[in-house]
Amino acid sequence: MTLPLSPDELLTTTRSVRKRLDLDRPVPLELVKESLEVALQAPTGSNQQGWHWMVVTDAGLRKQIGDYYAQSFGGYRDSAIRRNAAAGHSTERQAVQDRVQSSADWLAEHMGEVPVHVIGCITAGEELPTGNQAGLWGSLLPAAWSYQIAARARGLGSAWTTLHLKYEKEISELLGIPPNVRQGVLLPTAYFTGETFKPAKREPLDTVLHVDSW
């Protein structure tokens, strides 16, 4: 069964879920597999379908991934990049960013407890291309987003995260991922608490829209 949401409702209310992830309720593997079946319909360059999906349910493995994620997040939390990202906002926007940062802190602390980790991967070779990588990642990331939407339709929450990639090699060795398969995104997945999601506050389209010239 899926939630009675229109396409627009589904697309505008699929949020990054962090504090509302239910850490105690088991997630049926079948729901994850159903969501991945939907993800496999996403576009992929030259129809290569080079993606792979690492689904981690073992508590010990999730804890180790969570530890790597927390280490990476610690460095990011204290970095100039994060400080600069929080600067120059309006009071309203800053309040939103403060909530996002609080939820990101929470997820870093609890990543290893999230019932399911879904890691989207793609066959790429041991060394990534030195030039434009849009074609490579464009063959994986739309499918990962499709997974998030399909999971949302089935009452599951997820969050788009990439900080674990600082320890990609270590996590690949932990999970037995071959060297020629590269990770692109980690999607912690769980049932969510509460009942409603709504569209996020975004900057007006006119501020980012360019027609025919900049």
Side-chain angles (χ1 to χ4, degrees), residues 44-179:
T44 173
S46 301
N47 196 34
Q48 289 298 303
Q49 303 176 51
W51 45 44
H52 294 273
W53 306 93
M54 192 78 220
V55 178
V56 185
T57 62
D58 179 82
L61 295 174
R62 285 186 286 115
K63 182 182 184 306
Q64 291 182 72
I65 294 170
D67 289 343
Y68 282 125
Y69 185 89
Q71 290 179 55
S72 181
F73 182 84
Y76 167 72
R77 181 187 57 216
D78 301 328
S79 69
I81 294 175
R82 193 185 192 194
R83 290 195 299 272
N84 292 338
H89 295 314
S90 66
T91 301
E92 180 184 13
R93 176 71 181 276
Q94 188 57 53
V96 173
Q97 292 304 111
D98 289 345
R99 291 195 295 272
V100 170
Q101 291 180 19
S102 175
S103 67
D105 290 340
W106 186 93
L107 182 60
E109 182 178 349
H110 295 282
M111 177 67 85
E113 303 168 56
V114 180
V116 177
H117 293 176
V118 176
I119 303 176
C121 308
I122 192 162
T123 302
E126 294 189 35
E127 297 296 329
L128 292 175
T130 56
N132 190 339
Q133 296 181 16
L136 174 66
W137 298 117
S139 293
L140 171 66
L141 302 188
W145 175 232
S146 290
Y147 165 80
Q148 289 192 274
I149 293 172
R152 158 88 170 107
R154 288 159 176 77
L156 300 175
S158 62
W160 189 284
T161 75
T162 57
L163 287 175
H164 76 293
L165 292 174
K166 181 177 180 180
Y167 297 100
E168 179 184 10
K169 181 179 179 181
E170 290 83 352
I171 293 173
S172 289
E173 291 175 351
L174 174 68
L175 301 175
I177 298 173

